[in-house]
Amino acid sequence: MAELDSLFSPTRVALIGAAASEEKLGGIVLKNLLGLKGEVYPVNPNYAELMGRTAYRSIGDLPCPVDLSIIMRPAAEVPGILHQHAGKVRFALIVSAGFAEVGAWELQEEIKHIGREAGIRLIGPNCLGVYNPRHGLDTMFLPHALLKKPGKGNVAIVSQSGALVVCLLEAVRQANMGVSKVINYGNAVDLDAADVYEYLAEDRETRVVISYLESVGNGRRFIEAARNLDNTKPLLVLKAGKGAGGQKAACSHTGRLAGSYEVFRSILRQFRIQEAIDYESLLDGAKALSLQRPASGKRVCVITNGGGSGVLAADECGRAGLELPPLPEAVVERLIVSFPSFYAIANPIDLTGQVRAEDYRVALDAVREAYDGFIVIALTAVSGVTLAVAEMVHDFSMATGKPVVAHVAQGGISRKLARLMEKGKIPVYPSPERAVRALAMLLHGRGDETR
Amino acid sequence: MAELDSLFSPTRVALIGAAASEEKLGGIVLKNLLGLKGEVYPVNPNYAELMGRTAYRSIGDLPCPVDLSIIMRPAAEVPGILHQHAGKVRFALIVSAGFAEVGAWELQEEIKHIGREAGIRLIGPNCLGVYNPRHGLDTMFLPHALLKKPGKGNVAIVSQSGALVVCLLEAVRQANMGVSKVINYGNAVDLDAADVYEYLAEDRETRVVISYLESVGNGRRFIEAARNLDNTKPLLVLKAGKGAGGQKAACSHTGRLAGSYEVFRSILRQFRIQEAIDYESLLDGAKALSLQRPASGKRVCVITNGGGSGVLAADECGRAGLELPPLPEAVVERLIVSFPSFYAIANPIDLTGQVRAEDYRVALDAVREAYDGFIVIALTAVSGVTLAVAEMVHDFSMATGKPVVAHVAQGGISRKLARLMEKGKIPVYPSPERAVRALAMLLHGRGDETR
């Protein structure tokens, strides 16, 4: 059993600072924990019982040791609480803020010392903690009405920032994705991204890891863990705190120095770990890598029913290091017979506004052998684009196993079509360029010497 | 009266190829034209009447000259039809495809020649034409069920691509914007972007012009018109056909050479005309410039309730050429008194997850004099962010007249809050980076020597 199993799938959990109602943060978390596949021990000296569970005066009064304690008490109380943990707790998740991020460095050093002395791994402080839907574990104190979390899936989220993890959870859900393991570790006094990467490398429920970082603590350990993880499944990193302004902002956020972005970046490149350029590309990449297998190669074919959108996709291929080789002669001959003379039989293939749904299948079939990846653009303002296109693209993807992504424009049946495509494991994007960038993330996978 | 008034606000319009029902493209356009503030003359030799209007056998049978004729007949018939136009029509809009974009260069040269001989301005061929909601003019043959067009507003769209104009119309509507004049001119055998720019420079209903271009015809004339337009109101250009792949794609799209992108780009820069880097930034910029006045300066203040989102915004400011100067001493002193100790009193100002709505007003009031532009980040997963924030930001924007943009995260009240903000003329974006890029487009306005 991996060490972090006790953190992500604990069988016994104590909640220090549990409250009676969801009006308090300690009540929200307690309510969350009622769904745990395991035992929950609320700790609060003012109650004998909370939400139907026996409440305990202190961690010392628990009937048994626990895998995980969640500490939701003011910062000043945390050292005293941690002292009582010795021998009883494996992981202590300190939700409380008020440490290095507000300049209280000594207090943070103190809890670090206590944890080390007692052999307890610390998560946080200043964090939301862990979400593992398969185990019913949710330590995040956000009101349910304001944040609907995604269900089970294969995307792991590792975030230094609490705000970002919340934004990512909501966005992942809205993009029809699900999550495997989610963690926000805040000030990272002990447990850091590297620990989580090591764990996720072995985690069979995780297929892609997206990670928001401001600082990396021990750089050598981080890069080793990142490299090892990326050897087993795709890791996508969004590094914040790039310029001087961002670095200063990062420091007042979690109290850690962001370090040189240029050095960080060159190391990522050296080890071929992919970097997301911004928030949206992190999500876009997650969707692609959650639904499809990465592959190598850079020969791309674009099939569109709108000329301009095809040109924008072609431009972006150039920027993303992808190639648009012309259609092979045999493909041209085949398509000229199948298609009206005003279709553009080239790459991009432009099926024009006169497109019939079936044309997508014909075009895909013709080009399947000659390319490494495919962009399907379906603009829904013409009647020829029907929901049947989703099945054609899905069938093609299943039959070839090659990366395929889609751009579906807003309007008409676009929402239905996009949803149907994503059910069929074709990631859909709202612009031609974002579709291309997502395909590039799929094609710059392991084995590609050029990425 | 400007020459193109007869194109964008014609009082008499003939439709050649009008049809009886909306199952045919000529029926869709006829239906559209029934809303025209002016007279419509359907032309179709097989009918005496169409949708309640007298139908005519040919353009020669019309009772009077018309400002605009719309030609929806097969390419091969177009020269013959155009010959009948002499002396009767000022603008002929050739919707029909099948010209240079499919290699029929001679046919295209022929119609060009006929138009020039007869003194008729030609729009197209291979285009959707014109949409002017204030005049009830809509020549676009797309089924209403598949494309809902935006209403009256201040954004003009000038697009070489039909597909793109359709995508932009839908996106503009969904982003709660409206349009002044819209045109897709396709192969541009005669009327080109430069003509439309000249017209829009004088058009009082237009506040911002967004333009999708693949080629520019006469480069000198284009740049003169673009420059002149941009001196009166912001022009945002998305140039497609940038690399070799895109240029080839552009050529098979509208049959025109895309030319050197590098040259084009350096000319735009020289004349300080803003370029959108991709489809989404064209829309994002349109929204910002539609709702707010551009200004100069590059000193930006970020106010956030999520640390990570603030760091990402700070990073993007660096990339976008904006600065994040520290808070002036007096502002720090003022805010330290107003805010809890765990808020980060810096730039970004981090109001944390404990934020109360009122904090946004306090922060904005404190920083208003010291900065040129403002980013407000409101993450809605915490209960302190309420709809009241929209009014505070609106009031601030009205009082200062300085650019303010917002990033509102998905989830909870985010949709309502975003809508309310945009009603209050604060453009809202789904990521910190897109908000920053939009603010950069506002701040790189006329008078800024650094853009």
Side-chain angles (χ1 to χ4, degrees):
Chain A
M1 201 176 93
E3 189 200 359
L4 295 199
D5 272 342
S6 298
L7 170 62
F8 283 105
S9 304
T11 51
R12 295 195 181 97
V13 176
L15 176 59
I16 298 158
S21 87
E22 290 179 78
E23 278 154 42
K24 293 195 168 178
L25 302 185
I28 294 173
V29 176
L30 180 54
K31 180 80 185 294
N32 288 347
L33 292 174
L34 299 182
L36 183 79
K37 292 183 178 166
E39 282 302 310
V40 179
Y41 303 93
V43 174
N44 184 327
N46 302 317
Y47 292 88
E49 187 232 279
L50 281 167
M51 296 192 190
R53 309 284 164 122
T54 306
Y56 299 85
R57 290 188 57 81
S58 74
I59 196 96
D61 293 333
L62 295 195
C64 56
V66 297
D67 300 305
L68 173 64
S69 85
I70 302 161
I71 301 175
M72 302 186 70
R73 297 293 303 163
E77 294 180 24
V78 174
I81 291 168
L82 273 184
H83 274 304
Q84 303 171 32
H85 274 48
K88 302 212 153 144
V89 175
R90 300 181 66 170
F91 290 87
L93 195 167
I94 304 162
V95 174
S96 325
F99 294 87
E101 84 282 3
V102 294
W105 294 95
E106 281 182 26
L107 192 60
Q108 184 156 313
E109 277 304 304
E110 187 183 352
I111 60 169
K112 183 174 178 175
H113 181 74
I114 299 170
R116 198 171 285 168
E117 290 288 299
I120 300 165
R121 300 283 330 244
L122 305 182
I123 298 94
N126 184 26
C127 73
L128 290 168
V130 180
Y131 174 57
N132 176 2
R134 282 186 184 81
H135 193 67
L137 177 66
D138 182 356
T139 75
M140 302 193 176
F141 59 73
L142 297 149
H144 298 102
L146 300 181
L147 173 68
K148 292 191 191 76
K149 297 195 186 70
K152 298 172 215 172
N154 60 18
V155 179
I157 305 177
V158 182
S159 173
Q160 192 168 348
S161 158
L164 255 293
V165 92
V166 168
C167 292
L168 289 169
L169 281 169
E170 182 68 40
V172 157
R173 187 183 67 81
Q174 290 200 16
N176 307 321
M177 291 185 275
V179 293
S180 55
K181 310 284 189 294
V182 178
I183 187 165
N184 160 232
Y185 54 85
N187 294 10
V189 68
D190 171 17
L191 184 125
D192 206 343
D195 300 280
V196 184
Y197 290 176
E198 278 173 15
Y199 173 74
L200 293 173
E202 307 295 325
D203 183 45
R204 299 207 306 196
E205 285 152 359
T206 298
R207 181 158 161 180
V208 52
V209 180
I210 59 175
S211 193
Y212 171 88
L213 299 167
E214 290 172 3
S215 51
V216 296
N218 181 330
R220 191 176 296 272
R221 233 200 108 211
F222 169 82
I223 205 68
E224 208 163 288
R227 188 186 181 183
N228 179 45
L229 170 59
D230 195 57
N231 278 336
T232 67
K233 59 198 73 176
L235 166 66
L236 209 51
V237 171
L238 175 58
K239 171 70 170 70
K242 297 190 173 82
Q247 285 176 12
K248 242 190 286 175
C251 187
S252 58
H253 179 211
T254 58
R256 299 172 85 200
L257 289 172
S260 158
Y261 171 63
E262 293 310 324
V263 170
F264 181 84
R265 187 177 194 184
S266 73
I267 292 174
L268 285 190
R269 291 207 166 177
Q270 185 188 335
F271 293 109
R272 297 186 188 158
I273 295 162
Q274 295 205 68
E275 191 187 357
I277 52 165
D278 58 15
Y279 174 76
E280 268 181 347
S281 77
L282 184 70
L283 278 166
D284 287 351
K287 191 198 271 185
L289 292 159
S290 163
L291 295 177
Q292 304 228 327
R293 294 271 169 214
S296 57
K298 50 187 178 179
R299 298 165 55 86
V300 171
C301 184
V302 176
I303 299 169
T304 181
N305 69 324
S309 306
V311 180
L312 291 178
D315 280 344
E316 190 66 28
C317 282
R319 283 188 288 210
L322 300 174
E323 293 169 2
L324 282 178
L327 300 179
E329 201 51 49
V331 172
V332 172
E333 280 165 22
R334 188 168 155 189
L335 291 179
I336 279 179
V337 178
S338 312
F339 287 156
S341 64
F342 53 88
Y343 284 16
I345 314 289
N347 189 8
I349 299 176
D350 183 1
L351 307 172
T352 81
Q354 310 285 316
V355 66
R356 301 150 305 177
E358 181 64 21
D359 297 337
Y360 283 99
R361 192 200 311 269
V362 172
L364 284 166
D365 276 352
V367 298
R368 60 190 289 169
E369 296 305 332
Y371 296 90
D372 305 311
F374 305 86
I375 312 261
V376 173
I377 297 176
L379 309 182
T380 52
V382 296
S383 54
V385 173
T386 68
L387 296 180
V389 174
E391 202 185 333
M392 294 170 197
V393 182
H394 166 76
D395 290 347
F396 174 81
S397 164
M398 290 293 114
T400 63
K402 293 180 179 180
V404 192
V405 305
H407 158 49
V408 173
Q410 297 169 312
I413 60 163
S414 64
R415 237 176 246 195
K416 272 188 202 164
L417 180 59
R419 217 184 156 85
L420 213 54
M421 280 201 180
E422 293 192 342
K423 276 193 185 163
K425 302 208 177 296
I426 308 300
V428 178
Y429 299 93
S431 81
E433 295 95 342
R434 282 170 68 180
V436 170
R437 292 194 286 265
L439 182 65
M441 290 195 248
L442 285 166
L443 286 175
H444 292 174
R446 277 175 303 289
D448 176 0
E449 296 302 311
T450 64
R451 82 165 174 171
Chain B
M1 201 177 92
E3 191 200 357
L4 296 199
D5 272 342
S6 298
L7 169 61
F8 283 105
S9 305
T11 50
R12 294 195 182 98
V13 176
L15 175 59
I16 297 155
S21 87
E22 289 178 79
E23 279 155 44
K24 294 196 170 177
L25 302 185
I28 294 173
V29 176
L30 180 54
K31 179 79 185 294
N32 288 345
L33 291 174
L34 299 183
L36 183 80
K37 291 182 179 167
E39 283 301 310
V40 179
Y41 303 92
V43 174
N44 184 327
N46 304 317
Y47 292 87
E49 185 232 280
L50 281 166
M51 296 191 190
R53 311 283 164 121
T54 307
Y56 298 85
R57 292 189 55 80
S58 74
I59 196 93
D61 293 333
L62 295 194
C64 55
V66 297
D67 300 303
L68 172 65
S69 85
I70 302 162
I71 302 176
M72 301 186 70
R73 297 292 303 162
E77 294 180 22
V78 173
I81 291 170
L82 273 183
H83 275 302
Q84 303 172 32
H85 274 50
K88 301 214 152 142
V89 175
R90 300 181 66 169
F91 289 88
L93 194 168
I94 305 161
V95 174
S96 326
F99 293 87
E101 83 282 2
V102 295
W105 294 96
E106 280 185 25
L107 191 59
Q108 184 156 313
E109 276 305 304
E110 187 182 354
I111 61 170
K112 184 175 178 175
H113 181 74
I114 299 170
R116 196 170 286 169
E117 290 287 298
I120 299 165
R121 298 288 323 248
L122 305 183
I123 297 95
N126 183 28
C127 72
L128 290 169
V130 180
Y131 173 56
N132 175 3
R134 282 187 182 81
H135 193 69
L137 177 66
D138 181 357
T139 75
M140 302 193 176
F141 58 74
L142 298 148
H144 297 101
L146 300 181
L147 173 68
K148 292 190 191 76
K149 296 194 188 71
K152 298 172 213 172
N154 60 18
V155 179
I157 305 176
V158 182
S159 173
Q160 192 168 348
S161 159
L164 255 293
V165 91
V166 168
C167 292
L168 289 169
L169 281 169
E170 182 68 39
V172 157
R173 186 183 67 81
Q174 289 199 17
N176 308 320
M177 291 185 273
V179 293
S180 55
K181 309 283 188 297
V182 178
I183 187 164
N184 159 233
Y185 54 83
N187 294 9
V189 68
D190 171 16
L191 183 124
D192 206 342
D195 301 280
V196 184
Y197 291 176
E198 279 173 12
Y199 174 73
L200 292 174
E202 307 293 323
D203 182 45
R204 298 207 306 194
E205 285 152 358
T206 297
R207 182 158 159 179
V208 50
V209 180
I210 60 176
S211 193
Y212 171 89
L213 300 168
E214 292 173 1
S215 52
V216 296
N218 181 331
R220 190 176 296 272
R221 231 199 109 211
F222 169 83
I223 205 67
E224 208 161 290
R227 188 186 180 183
N228 179 45
L229 170 58
D230 195 57
N231 279 337
T232 66
K233 60 196 73 174
L235 165 66
L236 208 50
V237 171
L238 175 58
K239 171 69 169 70
K242 296 189 171 82
Q247 284 177 11
K248 243 191 283 174
C251 186
S252 58
H253 179 211
T254 58
R256 299 173 86 198
L257 289 172
S260 159
Y261 171 61
E262 293 312 323
V263 170
F264 181 83
R265 186 177 194 185
S266 71
I267 292 174
L268 284 191
R269 292 206 165 178
Q270 186 187 336
F271 293 108
R272 299 189 186 157
I273 295 162
Q274 294 204 68
E275 192 187 355
I277 52 166
D278 59 14
Y279 175 73
E280 269 181 346
S281 77
L282 185 69
L283 278 166
D284 287 351
K287 192 199 270 185
L289 293 159
S290 162
L291 295 178
Q292 304 228 328
R293 293 271 169 213
S296 57
K298 50 186 177 180
R299 299 165 56 86
V300 171
C301 184
V302 176
I303 299 168
T304 181
N305 69 324
S309 307
V311 180
L312 291 177
D315 279 343
E316 190 66 27
C317 282
R319 284 187 287 211
L322 300 175
E323 293 169 3
L324 282 180
L327 299 180
E329 202 51 48
V331 172
V332 172
E333 280 165 22
R334 186 168 157 189
L335 290 179
I336 278 180
V337 178
S338 311
F339 286 156
S341 63
F342 53 88
Y343 284 17
I345 313 289
N347 189 9
I349 299 175
D350 183 0
L351 307 173
T352 81
Q354 310 286 317
V355 66
R356 301 150 304 177
E358 181 64 21
D359 297 337
Y360 283 99
R361 193 202 309 269
V362 172
L364 285 166
D365 276 352
V367 299
R368 59 190 290 171
E369 296 304 333
Y371 296 91
D372 304 313
F374 305 85
I375 313 261
V376 173
I377 298 178
L379 309 182
T380 52
V382 295
S383 55
V385 172
T386 67
L387 296 179
V389 174
E391 202 185 331
M392 294 170 198
V393 182
H394 167 76
D395 289 348
F396 174 82
S397 162
M398 289 295 114
T400 64
K402 292 180 178 180
V404 191
V405 305
H407 158 48
V408 173
Q410 297 170 312
I413 60 164
S414 64
R415 234 176 248 193
K416 271 188 203 164
L417 179 59
R419 218 186 155 83
L420 214 53
M421 279 201 181
E422 294 191 343
K423 274 192 185 164
K425 302 208 178 295
I426 309 299
V428 178
Y429 300 93
S431 81
E433 296 94 341
R434 282 169 68 181
V436 170
R437 292 195 284 266
L439 182 65
M441 291 196 246
L442 285 165
L443 286 176
H444 292 173
R446 277 175 304 290
D448 175 3
E449 295 303 311
T450 65
R451 83 165 178 173

